[in-house]
Coordinates of all heavy atoms in Angstrom, one line a residue:
G13 N 43.7 125.5 149.8 CA 43.4 125.5 151.2 C 43.1 124.1 151.7 O 43.5 123.8 152.8
K14 N 42.5 123.2 150.9 CA 42.2 121.9 151.4 C 43.5 121.1 151.6 O 43.7 120.3 152.5 CB 41.3 121.1 150.4 CG 39.9 121.6 150.4 CD 39.0 120.8 149.5 CE 37.6 121.3 149.6 NZ 36.7 120.5 148.8
L15 N 44.5 121.3 150.7 CA 45.8 120.6 150.9 C 46.5 121.1 152.1 O 47.1 120.3 152.8 CB 46.7 120.8 149.6 CG 46.3 120.0 148.4 CD1 47.3 120.3 147.3 CD2 46.3 118.5 148.7
A16 N 46.4 122.4 152.4 CA 47.1 122.9 153.5 C 46.5 122.4 154.8 O 47.2 122.2 155.8 CB 47.0 124.4 153.5
R17 N 45.2 122.1 154.8 CA 44.5 121.6 156.0 C 44.6 120.1 156.1 O 44.4 119.5 157.2 CB 43.0 122.0 156.0 CG 42.8 123.5 156.2 CD 41.3 123.8 156.3 NE 40.5 123.4 155.2 CZ 40.2 124.2 154.1 NH1 40.7 125.4 154.1 NH2 39.5 123.7 153.2
S18 N 45.0 119.4 155.1 CA 45.1 118.0 155.1 C 46.3 117.6 156.0 O 47.3 118.2 156.0 CB 45.3 117.4 153.7 OG 45.6 116.1 153.8
T19 N 46.0 116.5 156.8 CA 47.1 116.0 157.7 C 47.7 114.7 157.1 O 48.6 114.1 157.8 CB 46.6 115.8 159.1 OG1 45.5 114.8 159.0 CG2 46.1 117.1 159.7
M20 N 47.3 114.2 156.0 CA 47.7 112.9 155.5 C 49.2 112.9 155.4 O 49.8 111.9 156.0 CB 47.1 112.7 154.1 CG 47.6 111.4 153.4 SD 47.1 111.2 151.7 CE 48.3 112.3 150.9
I21 N 49.8 113.8 154.7 CA 51.3 113.7 154.5 C 52.0 114.0 155.9 O 52.9 113.3 156.2 CB 51.7 114.7 153.4 CG1 51.2 114.2 152.1 CG2 53.3 114.9 153.4 CD1 51.4 115.2 150.9
A22 N 51.5 115.0 156.6 CA 52.2 115.3 157.9 C 52.1 114.1 158.8 O 53.1 113.8 159.5 CB 51.5 116.5 158.5
D23 N 51.0 113.4 158.8 CA 50.8 112.2 159.7 C 51.8 111.1 159.3 O 52.4 110.4 160.1 CB 49.4 111.7 159.7 CG 48.4 112.6 160.4 OD1 48.9 113.5 161.1 OD2 47.2 112.4 160.1
M24 N 51.9 110.9 158.0 CA 52.9 109.8 157.5 C 54.3 110.2 157.8 O 55.1 109.3 158.2 CB 52.7 109.6 156.0 CG 51.4 108.8 155.7 SD 51.3 108.3 154.0 CE 50.8 109.8 153.2
L25 N 54.6 111.5 157.7 CA 56.0 111.9 158.1 C 56.2 111.7 159.5 O 57.3 111.3 160.0 CB 56.2 113.4 157.6 CG 56.3 113.6 156.2 CD1 56.3 115.1 155.9 CD2 57.6 113.1 155.6
K26 N 55.2 112.1 160.3 CA 55.4 111.9 161.8 C 55.5 110.4 162.2 O 56.2 110.1 163.1 CB 54.1 112.5 162.5 CG 54.3 112.7 164.0 CD 53.0 113.2 164.6 CE 52.2 114.2 163.8 NZ 51.0 114.6 164.5
D27 N 54.9 109.6 161.4 CA 55.0 108.1 161.7 C 56.3 107.5 161.2 O 56.5 106.3 161.4 CB 53.8 107.4 161.0 CG 52.5 107.7 161.7 OD1 52.5 108.2 162.8 OD2 51.4 107.4 161.1
G28 N 57.1 108.3 160.5 CA 58.4 107.9 160.1 C 58.3 107.1 158.8 O 59.2 106.3 158.5
R29 N 57.3 107.3 158.0 CA 57.2 106.6 156.7 C 58.3 107.0 155.8 O 58.7 108.1 155.8 CB 55.8 106.8 156.1 CG 54.6 106.4 156.8 CD 54.3 105.0 156.5 NE 53.0 104.6 157.1 CZ 51.8 104.6 156.5 NH1 51.8 104.9 155.2 NH2 50.8 104.2 157.1
K30 N 58.7 106.1 154.9 CA 59.7 106.3 153.9 C 59.1 107.1 152.8 O 57.9 107.0 152.5 CB 60.3 105.0 153.4 CG 61.0 104.2 154.5 CD 61.5 102.9 153.9 CE 62.2 102.1 154.9 NZ 62.6 100.8 154.4
P31 N 60.0 107.9 152.1 CA 59.5 108.6 150.9 C 58.7 107.7 149.9 O 57.7 108.1 149.3 CB 60.7 109.2 150.3 CG 61.7 109.4 151.4 CD 61.4 108.2 152.3
E32 N 59.2 106.5 149.7 CA 58.6 105.6 148.7 C 57.1 105.3 149.2 O 56.2 105.2 148.3 CB 59.4 104.3 148.6 CG 60.8 104.4 148.1 CD 61.8 104.7 149.1 OE1 61.4 104.9 150.3 OE2 63.0 104.9 148.8
E33 N 57.0 105.1 150.5 CA 55.6 104.7 151.0 C 54.7 105.9 150.8 O 53.5 105.8 150.5 CB 55.7 104.3 152.5 CG 56.5 103.1 152.7 CD 56.6 102.8 154.2 OE1 57.3 103.6 154.9 OE2 56.2 101.7 154.6
I34 N 55.2 107.1 151.1 CA 54.4 108.3 151.0 C 54.0 108.6 149.6 O 52.9 108.9 149.2 CB 55.1 109.5 151.7 CG1 55.3 109.3 153.1 CG2 54.3 110.8 151.4 CD1 56.1 110.3 153.8
L35 N 55.0 108.4 148.7 CA 54.7 108.6 147.2 C 53.6 107.6 146.8 O 52.7 108.0 146.1 CB 56.0 108.4 146.4 CG 55.9 108.6 144.9 CD1 55.5 110.1 144.6 CD2 57.2 108.3 144.2
D36 N 53.7 106.4 147.2 CA 52.7 105.4 146.8 C 51.3 105.8 147.3 O 50.3 105.7 146.6 CB 53.1 104.0 147.4 CG 54.2 103.3 146.7 OD1 54.6 103.8 145.6 OD2 54.7 102.3 147.2
A37 N 51.3 106.3 148.6 CA 50.0 106.7 149.2 C 49.4 107.9 148.4 O 48.2 107.9 148.2 CB 50.2 107.0 150.6
V38 N 50.2 108.8 148.0 CA 49.7 110.0 147.3 C 49.2 109.6 146.0 O 48.1 110.0 145.6 CB 50.9 111.0 147.2 CG1 50.5 112.1 146.1 CG2 51.2 111.7 148.5
F39 N 49.9 108.7 145.3 CA 49.4 108.3 143.9 C 48.1 107.5 144.1 O 47.2 107.7 143.3 CB 50.5 107.4 143.3 CG 51.3 108.1 142.3 CD1 52.3 108.9 142.7 CD2 51.1 108.0 140.9 CE1 53.1 109.6 141.8 CE2 51.8 108.7 140.0 CZ 52.8 109.5 140.4
I40 N 48.0 106.6 145.1 CA 46.8 105.8 145.2 C 45.6 106.7 145.5 O 44.5 106.6 145.0 CB 47.0 104.7 146.3 CG1 47.9 103.6 145.8 CG2 45.7 104.2 146.8 CD1 48.4 102.6 146.8
R41 N 45.8 107.7 146.4 CA 44.7 108.6 146.8 C 44.3 109.5 145.6 O 43.1 109.8 145.5 CB 45.1 109.4 148.0 CG 45.1 108.6 149.2 CD 45.5 109.4 150.4 NE 45.7 108.5 151.6 CZ 45.0 108.7 152.7 NH1 44.2 109.6 152.9 NH2 45.3 107.8 153.7
A42 N 45.3 109.9 144.8 CA 45.0 110.9 143.7 C 44.6 110.2 142.4 O 43.7 110.7 141.7 CB 46.2 111.8 143.5
L43 N 45.3 109.1 142.1 CA 45.0 108.5 140.8 C 44.5 107.0 140.9 O 44.4 106.4 139.8 CB 46.4 108.5 140.0 CG 46.9 109.9 139.7 CD1 48.3 109.8 139.0 CD2 45.9 110.7 138.8
S44 N 44.4 106.5 142.0 CA 43.9 105.1 142.3 C 44.9 104.1 141.6 O 44.4 103.1 141.1 CB 42.5 105.0 141.7 OG 41.6 105.8 142.3
R45 N 46.2 104.4 141.6 CA 47.2 103.5 141.1 C 48.5 103.9 141.8 O 48.7 104.9 142.3 CB 47.3 103.6 139.6 CG 47.8 104.9 139.1 CD 48.1 104.8 137.6 NE 48.6 106.1 137.1 CZ 49.9 106.5 137.1 NH1 50.8 105.7 137.7 NH2 50.2 107.6 136.5
L46 N 49.4 102.9 141.7 CA 50.8 103.2 142.1 C 51.6 103.9 141.0 O 51.2 103.8 139.9 CB 51.5 101.8 142.4 CG 51.0 101.1 143.7 CD1 51.6 99.7 143.7 CD2 51.3 101.9 144.9
P47 N 52.6 104.6 141.4 CA 53.4 105.3 140.4 C 54.2 104.2 139.5 O 54.6 103.2 140.0 CB 54.4 106.1 141.2 CG 54.5 105.5 142.5 CD 53.1 104.9 142.8
S48 N 54.3 104.6 138.2 CA 55.1 103.7 137.4 C 56.6 103.8 137.7 O 57.0 104.8 138.4 CB 54.9 104.1 135.9 OG 55.4 105.4 135.7
E49 N 57.4 103.0 137.2 CA 58.8 103.0 137.5 C 59.4 104.4 137.0 O 60.2 105.0 137.7 CB 59.6 101.8 136.9 CG 59.5 100.6 137.7 CD 59.9 100.8 139.2 OE1 61.0 101.4 139.4 OE2 59.1 100.5 140.1
P50 N 59.1 104.8 135.7 CA 59.6 106.1 135.3 C 59.2 107.3 136.3 O 60.0 108.2 136.6 CB 59.1 106.3 133.9 CG 58.8 105.0 133.4 CD 58.4 104.2 134.6
E51 N 57.9 107.2 136.7 CA 57.5 108.3 137.7 C 58.2 108.2 139.0 O 58.6 109.2 139.5 CB 56.0 108.1 137.9 CG 55.1 108.5 136.7 CD 53.7 108.0 136.8 OE1 53.4 107.0 137.5 OE2 52.8 108.6 136.2
R52 N 58.4 107.0 139.4 CA 59.1 106.8 140.7 C 60.6 107.3 140.6 O 61.1 108.0 141.5 CB 59.1 105.3 141.1 CG 59.5 104.9 142.4 CD 59.4 103.5 142.7 NE 58.1 102.9 142.6 CZ 57.2 103.1 143.6 NH1 57.5 103.7 144.7 NH2 56.0 102.6 143.4
K53 N 61.2 106.9 139.5 CA 62.6 107.4 139.3 C 62.7 108.9 139.2 O 63.7 109.5 139.5 CB 63.2 106.7 138.0 CG 63.5 105.3 138.2 CD 64.1 104.7 136.9 CE 64.3 103.2 137.1 NZ 64.8 102.6 135.9
R54 N 61.7 109.5 138.7 CA 61.7 111.0 138.5 C 61.4 111.7 139.8 O 62.0 112.7 140.1 CB 60.8 111.4 137.4 CG 60.7 112.9 137.2 CD 59.8 113.3 136.1 NE 60.6 113.4 134.9 CZ 60.1 113.6 133.7 NH1 58.8 113.6 133.5 NH2 60.9 113.7 132.7
L55 N 60.5 111.2 140.6 CA 60.0 111.9 141.8 C 60.7 111.6 143.0 O 60.9 112.5 143.9 CB 58.5 111.6 142.0 CG 57.6 112.1 140.8 CD1 56.1 111.6 141.0 CD2 57.6 113.6 140.8
L56 N 61.2 110.4 143.2 CA 61.9 110.1 144.5 C 63.1 110.9 144.7 O 63.4 111.3 145.9 CB 62.2 108.6 144.6 CG 61.0 107.7 145.0 CD1 61.4 106.2 144.9 CD2 60.5 108.1 146.3
P57 N 63.9 111.2 143.7 CA 65.1 112.1 144.0 C 64.6 113.5 144.4 O 65.3 114.1 145.3 CB 65.8 112.2 142.6 CG 65.4 110.9 141.9 CD 64.0 110.6 142.4
L58 N 63.5 114.0 144.0 CA 63.0 115.3 144.4 C 62.7 115.2 145.9 O 63.0 116.2 146.6 CB 61.8 115.7 143.6 CG 62.0 115.9 142.1 CD1 60.6 116.1 141.5 CD2 62.9 117.0 141.8
L59 N 62.1 114.1 146.3 CA 61.7 114.0 147.7 C 63.0 113.8 148.6 O 63.1 114.3 149.7 CB 60.8 112.9 147.9 CG 59.4 113.0 147.2 CD1 58.6 111.8 147.3 CD2 58.7 114.3 147.6
A60 N 63.9 113.0 148.1 CA 65.2 112.7 148.8 C 66.0 114.0 148.9 O 66.8 114.1 149.9 CB 65.9 111.6 148.2
N61 N 66.0 114.9 147.9 CA 66.8 116.0 147.9 C 66.2 117.2 148.6 O 66.7 118.3 148.6 CB 67.2 116.4 146.5 CG 68.2 115.4 145.9 OD1 68.9 114.8 146.6 ND2 68.1 115.3 144.6
A62 N 65.0 117.0 149.2 CA 64.3 118.1 149.9 C 65.3 118.6 151.0 O 66.0 117.8 151.6 CB 63.0 117.7 150.5
A63 N 65.2 119.9 151.3 CA 66.1 120.5 152.3 C 65.9 119.8 153.7 O 66.9 119.5 154.3 CB 65.7 122.0 152.5
N64 N 64.7 119.4 154.0 CA 64.5 118.7 155.3 C 63.5 117.5 154.9 O 62.4 117.8 154.5 CB 63.8 119.6 156.3 CG 63.5 118.9 157.6 OD1 63.8 117.7 157.7 ND2 62.9 119.6 158.5
P65 N 64.0 116.3 155.0 CA 63.2 115.2 154.6 C 61.8 115.1 155.3 O 60.9 114.5 154.8 CB 64.0 113.9 154.9 CG 65.4 114.4 154.9 CD 65.3 115.9 155.4
A66 N 61.7 115.7 156.5 CA 60.5 115.7 157.2 C 59.6 116.9 156.9 O 58.5 117.0 157.4 CB 60.8 115.7 158.7
D67 N 60.0 117.7 155.9 CA 59.2 118.8 155.5 C 58.2 118.4 154.4 O 58.6 117.8 153.4 CB 60.2 119.9 154.9 CG 59.5 121.2 154.5 OD1 58.2 121.3 154.8 OD2 60.1 122.0 153.9
R68 N 57.0 118.7 154.6 CA 56.0 118.3 153.6 C 55.9 119.1 152.4 O 55.2 118.7 151.5 CB 54.6 118.2 154.3 CG 54.1 119.6 154.7 CD 52.7 119.4 155.4 NE 51.7 119.5 154.4 CZ 50.4 119.4 154.7 NH1 50.0 119.2 155.9 NH2 49.5 119.5 153.8
K69 N 56.6 120.2 152.2 CA 56.5 121.0 151.0 C 56.8 120.2 149.8 O 56.1 120.4 148.8 CB 57.4 122.2 151.1 CG 57.3 123.1 149.9 CD 58.1 124.4 150.0 CE 58.0 125.2 148.8 NZ 57.4 124.8 147.6
A70 N 57.9 119.4 149.8 CA 58.2 118.7 148.6 C 57.1 117.7 148.2 O 56.8 117.5 147.1 CB 59.5 117.9 148.8
Y71 N 56.5 117.1 149.2 CA 55.4 116.2 149.0 C 54.2 116.9 148.5 O 53.5 116.4 147.6 CB 55.1 115.4 150.3 CG 56.2 114.5 150.7 CD1 57.1 114.9 151.7 CD2 56.3 113.2 150.2 CE1 58.2 114.1 152.1 CE2 57.4 112.4 150.6 CZ 58.3 112.8 151.5 OH 59.3 112.0 151.9
D72 N 53.9 118.1 149.1 CA 52.8 118.9 148.6 C 53.0 119.3 147.1 O 52.1 119.3 146.3 CB 52.6 120.1 149.4 CG 52.0 119.9 150.8 OD1 51.4 118.8 151.0 OD2 52.1 120.8 151.6
D73 N 54.3 119.6 146.7 CA 54.6 119.9 145.3 C 54.3 118.8 144.4 O 53.7 118.9 143.3 CB 56.0 120.4 145.2 CG 56.3 121.7 145.8 OD1 55.3 122.5 146.1 OD2 57.5 122.0 146.0
V74 N 54.6 117.6 144.8 CA 54.4 116.4 144.0 C 52.9 116.2 143.9 O 52.4 115.9 142.8 CB 55.1 115.1 144.6 CG1 54.6 113.8 144.0 CG2 56.6 115.2 144.5
L75 N 52.2 116.3 145.0 CA 50.7 116.1 145.0 C 50.1 117.2 144.0 O 49.2 116.8 143.2 CB 50.1 116.2 146.4 CG 48.6 116.1 146.5 CD1 48.1 114.8 145.8 CD2 48.2 116.1 147.9
W76 N 50.5 118.4 144.1 CA 50.0 119.4 143.2 C 50.2 119.1 141.7 O 49.4 119.3 140.9 CB 50.6 120.8 143.5 CG 49.7 121.6 144.4 CD1 50.1 122.0 145.7 CD2 48.4 122.1 144.2 NE1 49.0 122.7 146.3 CE2 48.0 122.8 145.4 CE3 47.5 122.0 143.2 CZ2 46.8 123.4 145.5 CZ3 46.3 122.7 143.3 CH2 45.9 123.3 144.4
A77 N 51.4 118.6 141.5 CA 51.7 118.2 140.1 C 50.8 117.1 139.6 O 50.3 117.1 138.5 CB 53.2 117.7 140.0
I78 N 50.5 116.1 140.5 CA 49.6 115.0 140.1 C 48.2 115.6 139.9 O 47.5 115.2 138.9 CB 49.6 113.9 141.2 CG1 51.0 113.2 141.3 CG2 48.5 113.0 141.0 CD1 51.1 112.3 142.5
L79 N 47.7 116.5 140.8 CA 46.4 117.0 140.7 C 46.2 117.9 139.4 O 45.1 118.0 138.9 CB 46.0 117.8 141.9 CG 45.9 117.0 143.2 CD1 45.6 117.9 144.4 CD2 44.9 115.9 143.1
N80 N 47.3 118.4 138.9 CA 47.3 119.2 137.7 C 47.6 118.4 136.5 O 47.7 119.0 135.4 CB 48.3 120.4 137.8 CG 47.7 121.5 138.8 OD1 46.6 122.0 138.6 ND2 48.5 121.8 139.8
S81 N 47.8 117.1 136.6 CA 48.1 116.3 135.4 C 46.9 116.1 134.6 O 45.8 116.1 135.0 CB 48.7 115.0 135.9 OG 47.7 114.2 136.5
T82 N 47.2 115.8 133.3 CA 46.1 115.4 132.4 C 45.4 114.2 132.8 O 44.2 114.1 132.7 CB 46.7 115.2 131.0 OG1 47.4 116.3 130.6 CG2 45.7 114.9 130.0
E83 N 46.1 113.2 133.4 CA 45.5 111.9 133.8 C 44.5 112.2 134.9 O 43.4 111.7 134.9 CB 46.6 111.0 134.4 CG 46.0 109.7 134.9 CD 47.0 108.7 135.4 OE1 48.2 109.0 135.3 OE2 46.6 107.7 135.9
F84 N 44.8 113.1 135.9 CA 43.8 113.4 136.9 C 42.6 114.1 136.3 O 41.5 113.8 136.7 CB 44.5 114.2 138.0 CG 43.6 114.5 139.2 CD1 43.4 113.6 140.2 CD2 42.9 115.7 139.2 CE1 42.5 113.9 141.2 CE2 42.0 116.0 140.3 CZ 41.8 115.1 141.3
A85 N 42.9 115.1 135.5 CA 41.8 115.9 134.9 C 40.8 115.0 134.1 O 39.6 115.2 134.2 CB 42.3 117.0 134.0
F86 N 41.3 114.0 133.4 CA 40.4 113.2 132.5 C 39.8 112.0 133.3 O 38.7 111.6 132.9 CB 41.2 112.7 131.3 CG 41.3 113.8 130.2 CD1 42.5 114.3 130.0 CD2 40.2 114.2 129.5 CE1 42.7 115.3 129.0 CE2 40.3 115.2 128.6 CZ 41.6 115.7 128.3
N87 N 40.4 111.6 134.3 CA 39.9 110.4 135.0 C 39.1 110.7 136.3 O 38.4 109.9 136.8 CB 41.1 109.4 135.4 CG 41.7 108.8 134.1 OD1 41.0 108.7 133.1 ND2 42.9 108.4 134.2
H88 N 39.3 111.9 136.8 CA 38.6 112.2 138.0 C 38.0 113.6 137.9 O 37.5 114.2 138.5 CB 39.7 112.2 139.2 CG 40.4 111.0 139.3 ND1 39.9 109.8 139.8 CD2 41.6 110.6 138.9 CE1 40.7 108.8 139.7 NE2 41.8 109.3 139.2

């Protein structure tokens, strides 16, 4: 429910932010770091191939994956 009510991603999409910028912001907010190059190479195509680049579902999916990661569980 909290993710659905959050406007962070929607606001960045509305402002015309690039997928790279949004991915960086999601990582910083969730893990307090930028994505590594392997993470960036794996996740950016998922965001670029979303049916509608302005649709936040792909970004929400990435955020859920981060929140369910071992790194998030052990560090936060």
Side-chain angles (χ1 to χ4, degrees):
K14 287 185 180 184
L15 284 181
R17 291 188 301 269
S18 172
T19 62
M20 176 190 78
I21 293 172
D23 290 344
M24 287 190 280
L25 288 168
K26 193 184 322 177
D27 291 343
R29 298 269 187 101
K30 295 178 184 178
E32 297 86 358
E33 294 174 301
I34 298 172
L35 184 64
D36 287 350
V38 166
F39 262 79
I40 288 171
R41 288 179 188 235
L43 299 175
S44 301
R45 67 172 179 84
L46 291 171
S48 66
E49 280 307 309
E51 290 166 334
R52 192 178 299 281
K53 285 181 183 178
R54 179 178 265 172
L55 294 173
L56 282 176
L58 298 174
L59 300 175
N61 291 331
N64 178 2
D67 182 8
R68 67 180 268 180
K69 183 178 177 348
Y71 295 95
D72 286 345
D73 290 345
V74 168
L75 180 55
W76 267 114
I78 292 169
L79 294 178
N80 286 303
S81 71
T82 305
E83 179 179 354
F84 183 82
F86 283 110
N87 292 334
H88 305 284

